[in-house]
Amino acid sequence: MADIAVYHGRKNISGEKVAGALAWLGIDFEMVTGTDIARGRLDRFAAVIFPGGNSIQLAPRALAAATAFVKGGGGMVGVCAGAQFGAAQGLLNVRHHILRATGVFDMRIIAAGPITRGYAVTGPHKSRRTWKYSNRGRVRIRYANGGFFEAGSGVRVIVSMDEEGRMG
């Protein structure tokens, strides 16, 4: 059984992209719908990923189940609109801001884990040793007018962006 659930809804267009990335990384996952979440299916997983795309809209019963899952210790990863959804619904302990900017940004990798695989040079997964990264600990991404977040307690930041990191 997979440890990761990936949400896929009618307006959420990035579920397949996240699924493809997870498959490429060799991480087991299962796709779930709002109906699956409402039926309590998240309890089978360690974490759920809410990908980007258009806005995520869960029915009240599914939202209550997702909230109970996260508040009960289940992990939640939000990508783009998924992170905005998590912040708006109180699933993530973050302050949400909008950054009106478009371009390629230099992101700093600041924590080791499966999502940063391929950038780690030394140290096994979950090592307490200092990690060193290739590419000067940075990865470039395309960014367009989305949210950025200030992490609160209990939030593990994996990748961070500074406005000075903008590449053009």
Side-chain angles (χ1 to χ4, degrees):
M1 177 173 30
D3 288 333
I4 307 295
V6 177
Y7 171 75
H8 181 69
R10 285 191 322 254
K11 292 186 174 187
N12 180 260
I13 60 174
S14 296
E16 290 87 7
K17 291 178 183 179
V18 168
L22 292 173
W24 182 79
L25 290 168
I27 298 172
D28 290 331
F29 65 92
E30 289 183 30
M31 302 298 282
V32 295
T33 64
T35 301
D36 294 328
I37 294 171
R39 291 180 179 161
R41 190 166 169 215
L42 288 182
D43 291 340
R44 299 175 34 210
F45 302 97
V48 60
I49 298 175
F50 286 99
N54 293 327
S55 65
I56 295 173
Q57 299 173 349
L58 291 180
R61 193 166 149 215
L63 180 57
T67 301
F69 172 75
V70 173
K71 300 293 182 190
M76 188 237 162
V77 174
V79 178
C80 199
Q84 293 179 35
F85 165 77
Q89 299 302 325
L91 299 175
L92 298 173
N93 184 17
V94 297
R95 288 187 52 201
H96 179 235
H97 306 277
I98 298 293
L99 176 61
R100 299 283 180 217
T102 302
V104 177
F105 285 78
D106 209 10
M107 306 293 286
R108 289 181 292 126
I109 301 169
I110 58 177
I115 199 165
T116 59
R117 189 181 309 162
Y119 292 92
V121 175
T122 61
H125 179 60
K126 296 183 181 176
S127 171
R128 294 191 182 272
R129 294 183 294 176
T130 301
W131 281 72
K132 296 179 183 176
Y133 294 92
S134 60
N135 197 23
R136 298 177 332 278
R138 299 190 180 279
V139 62
R140 292 181 177 167
I141 66 152
R142 172 108 172 98
Y143 179 88
N145 299 321
F148 73 97
F149 308 91
E150 292 178 56
S153 65
V155 174
R156 181 177 180 218
V157 177
I158 297 171
V159 178
S160 178
M161 176 178 70
D162 295 322
E163 194 155 354
E164 297 83 38
R166 187 169 178 186
M167 298 303 293

